[in-house]
Amino acid sequence: MFSAINRTESIRQALERKYDLIIVGGGITGAGIALDAITRGLSCLLLEKQDFAAGTSSRSTKLIHGGLRYLKQLEVNLVREVGTERAIVHENAPHIVRPEPMLLPIIEKGSLGKRSTSLGLFVYDQLAGVEKSERRVMLNKEETLELEPLLKEDIVIGGGSYYEYQTDDARLTIEVLKSAAERGAYAFSYMEVVDFTYEETEADDKVLSGVKAVDRFTGEEHSFSASVIVNATGPWVDELRSKDGELGKKRLQLTKGVHIVVPYERLALRQAAYFDVGDGRMIFAIPREGTTYIGTTDTIYTEQLERPNVTREDVTYLLNAVNHMFPEVRLVMEDVVSSWAGLRPLIHQEGKSASELSRKDEIFRSENGVISIAGGKLTGYRKMAERTVDVVEKELYKREDRPVETCATENIVLSGGDLGAEPEDYAQQLFESVSHLPMFLGLTFSQVRSLVYKYGTNADVILEHVMEKGAEEHAHYPLDVQLLLSELNYGVSCEMVHTINDFFIRRSGKLYFERDTLTKYADVVLQELATILDLTEEECSAQKAAFLQEYVDVVCFKRAASIVK
């Protein structure tokens, strides 16, 4: 049910029924709602106008974290909830949510002092129920500099060491959606909801009955029916709400967060750091897959919603922050190898700056019954889904006299998460089981480990595909290409990969973290995709053009390299 190959037949089947719930939006919030709803016995359909996770859910800081900075805003309940959720998400998806030691340097005249940091981290540990082995440790100046010698020595007065959880936001979204599909939920990407449908009652009232959606591949318009509609479109929430009438008092305030990626050797941190910028904000610098990524900015955003832009000003801000805290590295614009910008769909609060806006989620219902959810954080997706489905069930219970079920997703291991061991151990076992085989001559542990940290136990399927195809049509390719093409085949068959951008950006993350390899692989990947999906020459040309646009966009700010002072 989550294959790109049988899309036409799946759509035909989906059109034959009425659903309890239609979810508009295929980011982490919509995915979480689909999984929660289907496990409560509700029939549901999810529709997304782009690829799944193409909006905010592939453009975050890629951390499942407890929101330490929200303690400064006294959002205690938010910190408690997302701190607790961190452990649950890690337990349910250990392959893509893993502990990350984090260094918090304390600097002179910074926004955090020694006592406030110690107290804040202590309260954070208590609220989040952090395991003893991962609780905060306070450090003196010498200990802090020993942990990270690149820090600016003359301003450091101490530090704190604690844990966050690194993730791949887009892959987390996909694993949640796959888990929902395995249980019977329907989900389609590139299916744009263009309007709502209504039924007239005897009292001449309008009753919401479904949605009209356009298939962005074929141009066909479809009508899907449901008892309840949930708008989980993130930055597009207000745009969709407006199709159902007036927005009312509640509206979104979008803020933009930018991240940049540099080669690891240019910012060779010994561990991730969360440090003071000097304007009251703090940013992360996080090593990942031969790179270090840095972010994020926080500015009010009012431009186009799809593919928000990264400006030279955004990049300059981040480079200046890094060069101030780690003066020896002297990063320049030309060091940046990729970037991304994401939009936070926050609830508008009069007089608040971008950084002051609350990250709390909020649910609101239109007069005609459209249920919208906005705000929130990646970490809290499961609780956001639970609250939304609670509202959906009350609506259905009122209409259909049916029993209300309770959320059961806390104990659902996501697709690929049933490792039965630590991810590192599972990767070692998998490597030892195949590395001696002739078709895997030259296979490295690093390659297997990378697959496990993306796909979990589904890495087995990818390696099995290499064994099947390595003796046939893929035999003339080097092993790294065979592995990549097997990833692609898995993505098309099991993760609804329709385009090379789906694969390079959101299933594998290669555009952000391995951009320099893509020109080598792009043509062979597109050729393979064309074979699997029977793409026309025109469709291939369009996909290649879209890929080249994305390839350029992630460094579009580099019109002229300059030293950032």
Side-chain angles (χ1 to χ4, degrees), residues 325-338:
M325 186 58 66
F326 309 101
E328 292 182 14
V329 302
R330 297 184 180 89
L331 290 180
V332 297
M333 193 75 69
E334 61 189 358
D335 287 322
V336 182
V337 295
S338 68

Side-chain angles (χ1 to χ4, degrees), residues 411-454:
N411 299 311
I412 291 179
V413 175
L414 299 182
S415 178
D418 51 336
L419 297 171
E422 290 298 315
E424 202 77 15
D425 295 333
Y426 187 88
Q428 186 64 47
Q429 294 165 15
L430 186 57
F431 173 69
E432 291 173 358
S433 71
V434 301
S435 57
H436 65 283
L437 300 175
M439 69 281 296
F440 288 116
L441 186 66
L443 181 71
T444 67
F445 173 69
S446 178
Q447 288 173 312
V448 175
R449 183 180 186 273
S450 177
L451 288 176
V452 169
Y453 276 109
K454 286 179 194 168

Side-chain angles (χ1 to χ4, degrees), residues 503-548:
F503 179 63
F504 280 146
I505 302 174
R506 290 166 292 274
R507 303 304 183 277
S508 68
K510 290 183 181 295
L511 181 66
Y512 299 144
F513 299 107
E514 301 175 48
R515 180 176 178 271
D516 60 340
T517 69
L518 296 193
T519 52
K520 172 184 173 183
Y521 294 132
D523 284 339
V524 68
V525 167
L526 182 55
Q527 181 183 353
E528 182 78 2
L529 186 66
T531 300
I532 302 168
L533 293 179
D534 196 24
L535 300 178
T536 65
E537 188 174 327
E538 183 180 3
E539 288 169 331
C540 286
S541 296
Q543 286 211 27
K544 187 165 187 177
F547 162 70
L548 291 173

Side-chain angles (χ1 to χ4, degrees), residues 271-325:
Q271 63 181 39
Y274 183 44
F275 58 93
D276 210 300
V277 176
D279 59 2
R281 298 200 68 254
M282 299 187 72
I283 65 174
F284 291 98
I286 303 172
R288 175 173 173 155
E289 297 174 18
T291 69
T292 302
Y293 69 96
I294 304 151
T296 179
T297 61
D298 200 358
T299 53
I300 298 295
Y301 187 81
T302 58
E303 299 174 47
Q304 90 282 351
L305 300 186
E306 291 186 23
R307 295 166 59 217
N309 61 320
V310 174
T311 67
R312 287 179 66 83
E313 291 74 20
D314 296 324
V315 177
T316 299
Y317 174 85
L318 294 172
L319 292 178
N320 282 338
V322 170
N323 288 338
H324 175 69
M325 186 58 66

Side-chain angles (χ1 to χ4, degrees), residues 9 54 58 86 107 137 167 214 255 279 282 318-319 325 377 380 391 414 436 553:
E9 175 60 19
S58 59
R86 241 181 20 158
I107 62 172
V137 175
T167 192
V214 173
T255 71
D279 59 2
M282 299 187 72
L318 294 172
L319 292 178
M325 186 58 66
K377 292 168 54 62
V391 173
L414 299 182
H436 65 283
D553 277 357

Side-chain angles (χ1 to χ4, degrees), residues 363-426:
I363 298 170
F364 25 93
R365 184 183 184 280
S366 73
E367 288 186 11
N368 293 320
V370 176
I371 297 167
S372 298
I373 180 165
K377 292 168 54 62
L378 174 69
T379 308
Y381 85 87
R382 201 188 62 82
K383 295 300 288 185
M384 291 168 64
E386 179 181 346
R387 286 189 282 272
T388 304
V389 180
D390 284 347
V391 173
V392 170
E393 282 211 310
K394 288 176 183 176
E395 189 76 16
L396 290 170
Y397 183 79
K398 179 176 67 180
R399 294 185 193 179
E400 302 178 15
D401 190 28
R402 59 195 296 165
V404 175
E405 301 289 337
T406 56
C407 176
T409 56
E410 179 176 347
N411 299 311
I412 291 179
V413 175
L414 299 182
S415 178
D418 51 336
L419 297 171
E422 290 298 315
E424 202 77 15
D425 295 333
Y426 187 88

